[in-house]
mmCIF file of all heavy atoms in Angstrom:
data_model
loop_
_atom_site.group_PDB
_atom_site.id
_atom_site.type_symbol
_atom_site.label_atom_id
_atom_site.label_comp_id
_atom_site.label_asym_id
_atom_site.label_seq_id
_atom_site.Cartn_x
_atom_site.Cartn_y
_atom_site.Cartn_z
ATOM 1 N N CYS U 1 -5.452 8.507 5.104
ATOM 2 C CA CYS U 1 -4.389 7.687 4.267
ATOM 3 C C CYS U 1 -3.362 7.046 5.219
ATOM 4 O O CYS U 1 -3.256 7.419 6.385
ATOM 5 C CB CYS U 1 -3.656 8.508 3.235
ATOM 6 S SG CYS U 1 -2.898 9.944 3.953
ATOM 7 N N ILE U 2 -2.784 5.980 4.860
ATOM 8 C CA ILE U 2 -1.640 5.417 5.386
ATOM 9 C C ILE U 2 -0.425 5.404 4.545
ATOM 10 O O ILE U 2 -0.546 4.848 3.364
ATOM 11 C CB ILE U 2 -1.923 3.971 5.869
ATOM 12 C CG1 ILE U 2 -3.212 4.014 6.726
ATOM 13 C CG2 ILE U 2 -0.813 3.221 6.418
ATOM 14 C CD1 ILE U 2 -3.761 2.653 7.401
ATOM 15 N N TYR U 3 0.638 5.743 5.043
ATOM 16 C CA TYR U 3 1.845 5.818 4.235
ATOM 17 C C TYR U 3 2.943 4.909 4.741
ATOM 18 O O TYR U 3 3.143 4.937 6.069
ATOM 19 C CB TYR U 3 2.428 7.344 4.304
ATOM 20 C CG TYR U 3 3.818 7.591 3.844
ATOM 21 C CD1 TYR U 3 4.125 7.535 2.385
ATOM 22 C CD2 TYR U 3 4.833 7.825 4.706
ATOM 23 C CE1 TYR U 3 5.421 7.695 1.922
ATOM 24 C CE2 TYR U 3 6.131 8.043 4.341
ATOM 25 C CZ TYR U 3 6.489 7.918 2.926
ATOM 26 O OH TYR U 3 7.774 8.152 2.477
ATOM 27 N N HIS U 4 3.577 4.235 3.961
ATOM 28 C CA HIS U 4 4.746 3.378 4.335
ATOM 29 C C HIS U 4 6.059 3.964 3.617
ATOM 30 O O HIS U 4 5.957 4.028 2.427
ATOM 31 C CB HIS U 4 4.547 1.847 3.940
ATOM 32 C CG HIS U 4 3.567 1.182 4.633
ATOM 33 N ND1 HIS U 4 4.019 0.247 5.651
ATOM 34 C CD2 HIS U 4 2.182 1.169 4.613
ATOM 35 C CE1 HIS U 4 2.875 -0.301 6.156
ATOM 36 N NE2 HIS U 4 1.797 0.194 5.591
ATOM 37 N N SER U 5 6.942 4.381 4.400
ATOM 38 C CA SER U 5 8.225 4.890 3.726
ATOM 39 C C SER U 5 9.066 3.831 3.051
ATOM 40 O O SER U 5 8.879 2.770 3.254
ATOM 41 C CB SER U 5 8.948 5.556 4.933
ATOM 42 O OG SER U 5 9.490 4.651 5.803
ATOM 43 N N GLY U 6 9.891 4.380 2.175
ATOM 44 C CA GLY U 6 10.778 3.548 1.391
ATOM 45 C C GLY U 6 11.712 4.444 0.675
ATOM 46 O O GLY U 6 11.794 5.529 0.966
ATOM 47 N N ASN U 7 12.527 3.788 -0.120
ATOM 48 C CA ASN U 7 13.323 4.533 -1.054
ATOM 49 C C ASN U 7 12.615 5.656 -1.815
ATOM 50 O O ASN U 7 11.583 5.449 -2.303
ATOM 51 C CB ASN U 7 14.009 3.565 -2.078
ATOM 52 C CG ASN U 7 15.156 4.172 -2.874
ATOM 53 O OD1 ASN U 7 14.858 5.157 -3.569
ATOM 54 N ND2 ASN U 7 16.336 3.680 -2.671
ATOM 55 N N LYS U 8 13.297 6.806 -1.884
ATOM 56 C CA LYS U 8 12.674 7.983 -2.405
ATOM 57 C C LYS U 8 12.600 7.958 -3.904
ATOM 58 O O LYS U 8 11.924 8.872 -4.573
ATOM 59 C CB LYS U 8 13.455 9.304 -2.033
ATOM 60 C CG LYS U 8 13.035 9.809 -0.649
ATOM 61 C CD LYS U 8 11.667 10.449 -0.651
ATOM 62 C CE LYS U 8 11.396 11.090 0.733
ATOM 63 N NZ LYS U 8 10.060 11.746 0.718
ATOM 64 N N ASN U 9 13.034 7.005 -4.507
ATOM 65 C CA ASN U 9 12.964 6.840 -6.022
ATOM 66 C C ASN U 9 11.572 6.520 -6.478
ATOM 67 O O ASN U 9 11.270 6.811 -7.662
ATOM 68 C CB ASN U 9 13.961 5.841 -6.486
ATOM 69 C CG ASN U 9 15.401 6.357 -6.434
ATOM 70 O OD1 ASN U 9 15.639 7.478 -6.442
ATOM 71 N ND2 ASN U 9 16.364 5.397 -6.310
ATOM 72 N N MET U 10 10.810 5.764 -5.753
ATOM 73 C CA MET U 10 9.447 5.231 -6.149
ATOM 74 C C MET U 10 8.475 5.214 -5.093
ATOM 75 O O MET U 10 8.893 4.866 -4.042
ATOM 76 C CB MET U 10 9.747 3.772 -6.906
ATOM 77 C CG MET U 10 8.486 3.080 -7.274
ATOM 78 S SD MET U 10 8.856 1.466 -7.874
ATOM 79 C CE MET U 10 9.608 1.850 -9.492
ATOM 80 N N ILE U 11 7.218 5.340 -5.412
ATOM 81 C CA ILE U 11 6.186 5.153 -4.472
ATOM 82 C C ILE U 11 4.973 4.500 -5.258
ATOM 83 O O ILE U 11 4.755 4.832 -6.503
ATOM 84 C CB ILE U 11 5.617 6.453 -3.944
ATOM 85 C CG1 ILE U 11 4.672 6.171 -2.689
ATOM 86 C CG2 ILE U 11 5.144 7.508 -4.864
ATOM 87 C CD1 ILE U 11 4.362 7.389 -1.800
ATOM 88 N N VAL U 12 4.246 3.629 -4.694
ATOM 89 C CA VAL U 12 3.177 2.954 -5.136
ATOM 90 C C VAL U 12 1.886 3.631 -4.478
ATOM 91 O O VAL U 12 1.706 3.574 -3.208
ATOM 92 C CB VAL U 12 3.059 1.404 -4.956
ATOM 93 C CG1 VAL U 12 1.872 0.840 -5.527
ATOM 94 C CG2 VAL U 12 4.446 0.856 -5.524
ATOM 95 N N ILE U 13 0.996 4.261 -5.330
ATOM 96 C CA ILE U 13 -0.207 4.830 -4.812
ATOM 97 C C ILE U 13 -1.389 4.011 -5.141
ATOM 98 O O ILE U 13 -1.583 3.535 -6.345
ATOM 99 C CB ILE U 13 -0.378 6.156 -5.397
ATOM 100 C CG1 ILE U 13 0.727 7.045 -5.004
ATOM 101 C CG2 ILE U 13 -1.696 6.703 -4.876
ATOM 102 C CD1 ILE U 13 0.726 8.509 -5.528
ATOM 103 N N MET U 14 -2.115 3.494 -4.111
ATOM 104 C CA MET U 14 -3.221 2.557 -4.279
ATOM 105 C C MET U 14 -4.584 3.235 -4.176
ATOM 106 O O MET U 14 -4.858 3.933 -3.225
ATOM 107 C CB MET U 14 -3.182 1.488 -3.195
ATOM 108 C CG MET U 14 -1.721 0.836 -2.988
ATOM 109 S SD MET U 14 -1.637 -0.381 -1.736
ATOM 110 C CE MET U 14 0.205 -0.497 -1.558
ATOM 111 N N CYS U 15 -5.446 2.778 -5.099
ATOM 112 C CA CYS U 15 -6.703 3.339 -5.254
ATOM 113 C C CYS U 15 -7.749 2.242 -5.020
ATOM 114 O O CYS U 15 -7.933 1.348 -5.961
ATOM 115 C CB CYS U 15 -7.036 4.089 -6.522
ATOM 116 S SG CYS U 15 -8.296 5.233 -6.649
ATOM 117 N N HIS U 16 -8.525 2.112 -4.024
ATOM 118 C CA HIS U 16 -9.447 1.054 -3.696
ATOM 119 C C HIS U 16 -10.760 1.026 -4.518
ATOM 120 O O HIS U 16 -10.963 1.967 -5.262
ATOM 121 C CB HIS U 16 -9.791 0.935 -2.115
ATOM 122 C CG HIS U 16 -10.573 2.112 -1.702
ATOM 123 N ND1 HIS U 16 -11.921 2.217 -2.025
ATOM 124 C CD2 HIS U 16 -10.280 3.253 -0.921
ATOM 125 C CE1 HIS U 16 -12.486 3.301 -1.445
ATOM 126 N NE2 HIS U 16 -11.367 3.898 -0.795
ATOM 127 N N GLY U 17 -11.442 -0.089 -4.401
ATOM 128 C CA GLY U 17 -12.661 -0.280 -5.123
ATOM 129 C C GLY U 17 -13.966 0.373 -4.559
ATOM 130 O O GLY U 17 -13.882 0.790 -3.445
ATOM 131 N N PHE U 18 -14.976 0.164 -5.270
ATOM 132 C CA PHE U 18 -16.246 0.745 -4.818
ATOM 133 C C PHE U 18 -16.874 0.126 -3.562
ATOM 134 O O PHE U 18 -16.914 -1.153 -3.501
ATOM 135 C CB PHE U 18 -17.381 0.525 -5.900
ATOM 136 C CG PHE U 18 -18.710 1.133 -5.766
ATOM 137 C CD1 PHE U 18 -18.832 2.505 -5.601
ATOM 138 C CD2 PHE U 18 -19.797 0.258 -5.656
ATOM 139 C CE1 PHE U 18 -20.114 3.008 -5.512
ATOM 140 C CE2 PHE U 18 -21.135 0.721 -5.375
ATOM 141 C CZ PHE U 18 -21.257 2.253 -5.375
ATOM 142 N N GLY U 19 -17.162 0.817 -2.537
ATOM 143 C CA GLY U 19 -17.740 0.364 -1.352
ATOM 144 C C GLY U 19 -16.736 -0.206 -0.387
ATOM 145 O O GLY U 19 -16.981 -0.682 0.685
ATOM 146 N N SER U 20 -15.416 -0.142 -0.726
ATOM 147 C CA SER U 20 -14.395 -0.640 0.120
ATOM 148 C C SER U 20 -13.537 0.447 0.798
ATOM 149 O O SER U 20 -14.253 1.522 1.109
ATOM 150 C CB SER U 20 -13.329 -1.380 -0.787
ATOM 151 O OG SER U 20 -12.359 -2.163 -0.117
ATOM 152 N N ASP U 21 -12.396 0.298 1.194
ATOM 153 C CA ASP U 21 -11.611 1.285 1.915
ATOM 154 C C ASP U 21 -10.046 1.136 1.585
ATOM 155 O O ASP U 21 -9.691 0.278 0.791
ATOM 156 C CB ASP U 21 -11.945 1.350 3.371
ATOM 157 C CG ASP U 21 -11.527 -0.078 4.071
ATOM 158 O OD1 ASP U 21 -10.631 -0.718 3.599
ATOM 159 O OD2 ASP U 21 -12.272 -0.475 5.006
ATOM 160 N N LYS U 22 -9.226 1.926 2.214
ATOM 161 C CA LYS U 22 -7.863 1.944 1.968
ATOM 162 C C LYS U 22 -7.147 0.581 2.216
ATOM 163 O O LYS U 22 -6.085 0.453 1.737
ATOM 164 C CB LYS U 22 -7.138 3.028 2.738
ATOM 165 C CG LYS U 22 -7.325 2.959 4.259
ATOM 166 C CD LYS U 22 -6.651 4.244 4.874
ATOM 167 C CE LYS U 22 -6.956 4.289 6.364
ATOM 168 N NZ LYS U 22 -8.378 4.566 6.659
ATOM 169 N N ASP U 23 -7.766 -0.306 3.096
ATOM 170 C CA ASP U 23 -7.035 -1.519 3.298
ATOM 171 C C ASP U 23 -7.542 -2.655 2.326
ATOM 172 O O ASP U 23 -6.832 -3.627 2.167
ATOM 173 C CB ASP U 23 -7.476 -2.068 4.786
ATOM 174 C CG ASP U 23 -6.806 -1.235 5.884
ATOM 175 O OD1 ASP U 23 -5.870 -0.492 5.494
ATOM 176 O OD2 ASP U 23 -7.486 -1.132 6.924
ATOM 177 N N GLU U 24 -8.684 -2.383 1.610
ATOM 178 C CA GLU U 24 -9.244 -3.296 0.578
ATOM 179 C C GLU U 24 -9.692 -4.594 1.274
ATOM 180 O O GLU U 24 -9.280 -4.988 2.368
ATOM 181 C CB GLU U 24 -8.256 -3.568 -0.527
ATOM 182 C CG GLU U 24 -8.640 -2.863 -1.919
ATOM 183 C CD GLU U 24 -10.046 -2.966 -2.226
ATOM 184 O OE1 GLU U 24 -10.757 -3.986 -1.844
ATOM 185 O OE2 GLU U 24 -10.532 -2.156 -3.012
ATOM 186 N N VAL U 25 -10.524 -5.244 0.543
ATOM 187 C CA VAL U 25 -11.254 -6.360 1.072
ATOM 188 C C VAL U 25 -10.171 -7.465 1.461
ATOM 189 O O VAL U 25 -9.192 -7.708 0.656
ATOM 190 C CB VAL U 25 -12.202 -6.989 0.039
ATOM 191 C CG1 VAL U 25 -11.506 -7.342 -1.236
ATOM 192 C CG2 VAL U 25 -12.936 -8.140 0.532
ATOM 193 N N GLY U 26 -10.388 -8.095 2.633
ATOM 194 C CA GLY U 26 -9.378 -9.135 3.038
ATOM 195 C C GLY U 26 -8.071 -8.569 3.329
ATOM 196 O O GLY U 26 -7.100 -9.232 3.567
ATOM 197 N N GLY U 27 -7.971 -7.136 3.530
ATOM 198 C CA GLY U 27 -6.702 -6.492 3.673
ATOM 199 C C GLY U 27 -5.618 -6.620 2.708
ATOM 200 O O GLY U 27 -4.414 -6.536 2.928
ATOM 201 N N MET U 28 -6.111 -6.771 1.497
ATOM 202 C CA MET U 28 -5.087 -6.912 0.394
ATOM 203 C C MET U 28 -4.208 -5.804 0.121
ATOM 204 O O MET U 28 -2.975 -5.932 -0.065
ATOM 205 C CB MET U 28 -5.970 -7.225 -0.968
ATOM 206 C CG MET U 28 -6.545 -8.534 -1.071
ATOM 207 S SD MET U 28 -7.170 -8.993 -2.672
ATOM 208 C CE MET U 28 -8.510 -7.824 -2.847
ATOM 209 N N PHE U 29 -4.653 -4.617 0.276
ATOM 210 C CA PHE U 29 -3.802 -3.474 0.172
ATOM 211 C C PHE U 29 -2.874 -3.348 1.359
ATOM 212 O O PHE U 29 -1.677 -2.877 1.240
ATOM 213 C CB PHE U 29 -4.556 -2.104 -0.008
ATOM 214 C CG PHE U 29 -5.095 -1.864 -1.332
ATOM 215 C CD1 PHE U 29 -4.843 -2.698 -2.443
ATOM 216 C CD2 PHE U 29 -5.712 -0.614 -1.637
ATOM 217 C CE1 PHE U 29 -5.277 -2.413 -3.645
ATOM 218 C CE2 PHE U 29 -6.159 -0.270 -2.975
ATOM 219 C CZ PHE U 29 -5.896 -1.156 -3.852
ATOM 220 N N THR U 30 -3.388 -3.666 2.544
ATOM 221 C CA THR U 30 -2.444 -3.625 3.697
ATOM 222 C C THR U 30 -1.274 -4.581 3.445
ATOM 223 O O THR U 30 -0.057 -4.332 3.698
ATOM 224 C CB THR U 30 -3.218 -4.065 5.032
ATOM 225 O OG1 THR U 30 -4.305 -3.162 5.148
ATOM 226 C CG2 THR U 30 -2.391 -4.050 6.177
ATOM 227 N N ARG U 31 -1.720 -5.831 3.035
ATOM 228 C CA ARG U 31 -0.640 -6.801 2.792
ATOM 229 C C ARG U 31 0.362 -6.428 1.786
ATOM 230 O O ARG U 31 1.556 -6.664 2.009
ATOM 231 C CB ARG U 31 -1.318 -8.192 2.459
ATOM 232 C CG ARG U 31 -2.123 -8.820 3.619
ATOM 233 C CD ARG U 31 -2.831 -10.004 3.208
ATOM 234 N NE ARG U 31 -1.971 -11.134 2.636
ATOM 235 C CZ ARG U 31 -2.392 -12.214 2.228
ATOM 236 N NH1 ARG U 31 -3.612 -12.569 2.348
ATOM 237 N NH2 ARG U 31 -1.482 -13.122 1.791
ATOM 238 N N ILE U 32 -0.026 -5.897 0.621
ATOM 239 C CA ILE U 32 0.892 -5.510 -0.330
ATOM 240 C C ILE U 32 1.785 -4.346 0.111
ATOM 241 O O ILE U 32 3.052 -4.335 -0.231
ATOM 242 C CB ILE U 32 0.305 -5.321 -1.767
ATOM 243 C CG1 ILE U 32 1.328 -5.353 -2.857
ATOM 244 C CG2 ILE U 32 -0.516 -4.109 -1.767
ATOM 245 C CD1 ILE U 32 0.929 -5.254 -4.251
ATOM 246 N N ALA U 33 1.126 -3.438 0.890
ATOM 247 C CA ALA U 33 2.002 -2.364 1.377
ATOM 248 C C ALA U 33 3.207 -2.794 2.359
ATOM 249 O O ALA U 33 4.307 -2.356 2.153
ATOM 250 C CB ALA U 33 1.138 -1.381 2.178
ATOM 251 N N GLU U 34 2.858 -3.837 3.101
ATOM 252 C CA GLU U 34 3.791 -4.479 4.053
ATOM 253 C C GLU U 34 4.869 -5.154 3.197
ATOM 254 O O GLU U 34 6.074 -5.067 3.533
ATOM 255 C CB GLU U 34 3.193 -5.280 5.017
ATOM 256 C CG GLU U 34 2.283 -4.587 6.037
ATOM 257 C CD GLU U 34 1.411 -5.479 6.896
ATOM 258 O OE1 GLU U 34 1.311 -6.632 6.546
ATOM 259 O OE2 GLU U 34 0.781 -4.848 7.799
ATOM 260 N N ALA U 35 4.442 -5.784 2.193
ATOM 261 C CA ALA U 35 5.459 -6.643 1.368
ATOM 262 C C ALA U 35 6.270 -5.586 0.606
ATOM 263 O O ALA U 35 7.594 -5.785 0.460
ATOM 264 C CB ALA U 35 4.679 -7.396 0.315
ATOM 265 N N LEU U 36 5.849 -4.514 -0.004
ATOM 266 C CA LEU U 36 6.641 -3.543 -0.519
ATOM 267 C C LEU U 36 7.538 -2.771 0.374
ATOM 268 O O LEU U 36 8.715 -2.567 0.008
ATOM 269 C CB LEU U 36 5.726 -2.384 -1.125
ATOM 270 C CG LEU U 36 4.878 -2.821 -2.350
ATOM 271 C CD1 LEU U 36 3.893 -1.844 -2.773
ATOM 272 C CD2 LEU U 36 5.740 -3.189 -3.547
ATOM 273 N N ALA U 37 7.111 -2.533 1.703
ATOM 274 C CA ALA U 37 8.048 -1.982 2.696
ATOM 275 C C ALA U 37 9.176 -2.855 2.925
ATOM 276 O O ALA U 37 10.369 -2.357 3.096
ATOM 277 C CB ALA U 37 7.261 -1.778 3.909
ATOM 278 N N GLU U 38 9.101 -4.228 2.919
ATOM 279 C CA GLU U 38 10.113 -5.065 3.087
ATOM 280 C C GLU U 38 11.174 -5.015 1.925
ATOM 281 O O GLU U 38 12.271 -5.289 2.124
ATOM 282 C CB GLU U 38 9.564 -6.583 3.142
ATOM 283 C CG GLU U 38 8.847 -6.794 4.415
ATOM 284 C CD GLU U 38 8.308 -8.341 4.451
ATOM 285 O OE1 GLU U 38 8.638 -9.018 3.561
ATOM 286 O OE2 GLU U 38 7.582 -8.651 5.499
ATOM 287 N N GLU U 39 10.729 -4.584 0.881
ATOM 288 C CA GLU U 39 11.646 -4.277 -0.368
ATOM 289 C C GLU U 39 12.049 -2.851 -0.403
ATOM 290 O O GLU U 39 12.647 -2.470 -1.387
ATOM 291 C CB GLU U 39 10.880 -4.649 -1.643
ATOM 292 C CG GLU U 39 10.386 -6.205 -1.689
ATOM 293 C CD GLU U 39 11.612 -7.190 -1.767
ATOM 294 O OE1 GLU U 39 12.695 -6.743 -2.105
ATOM 295 O OE2 GLU U 39 11.414 -8.313 -1.356
ATOM 296 N N ASP U 40 11.886 -2.051 0.701
ATOM 297 C CA ASP U 40 12.231 -0.620 0.659
ATOM 298 C C ASP U 40 11.566 0.125 -0.373
ATOM 299 O O ASP U 40 12.054 1.055 -0.946
ATOM 300 C CB ASP U 40 13.705 -0.435 0.436
ATOM 301 C CG ASP U 40 14.214 0.912 0.967
ATOM 302 O OD1 ASP U 40 13.554 1.538 1.870
ATOM 303 O OD2 ASP U 40 15.261 1.399 0.357
ATOM 304 N N ILE U 41 10.240 -0.106 -0.703
ATOM 305 C CA ILE U 41 9.456 0.563 -1.684
ATOM 306 C C ILE U 41 8.326 1.240 -0.962
ATOM 307 O O ILE U 41 7.506 0.615 -0.268
ATOM 308 C CB ILE U 41 8.875 -0.387 -2.800
ATOM 309 C CG1 ILE U 41 9.964 -0.994 -3.535
ATOM 310 C CG2 ILE U 41 8.001 0.380 -3.622
ATOM 311 C CD1 ILE U 41 9.631 -2.095 -4.554
#
């Protein structure tokens, strides 16, 4: 797993699709994780 820290009030847990992985196709999960980190989530 890959964890991005943020405010302790909330965390987004991502569950990828069939045949994929934790980054998701095209890095979609990586990108949204980075966007959330910028918002301290």
Side-chain angles (χ1 to χ4, degrees):
C1 59
I2 296 179
Y3 166 74
H4 287 258
S5 62
N7 188 294
K8 278 288 185 177
N9 289 332
M10 176 183 287
I11 187 169
V12 180
I13 297 175
M14 306 179 195
C15 193
H16 67 74
F18 185 65
S20 189
D21 59 34
K22 58 183 173 292
D23 295 335
E24 253 312 337
V25 61
M28 286 193 289
F29 275 6
T30 303
R31 290 176 59 180
I32 191 170
E34 292 170 349
L36 290 170
E38 291 180 0
E39 300 293 338
D40 196 29
I41 298 173

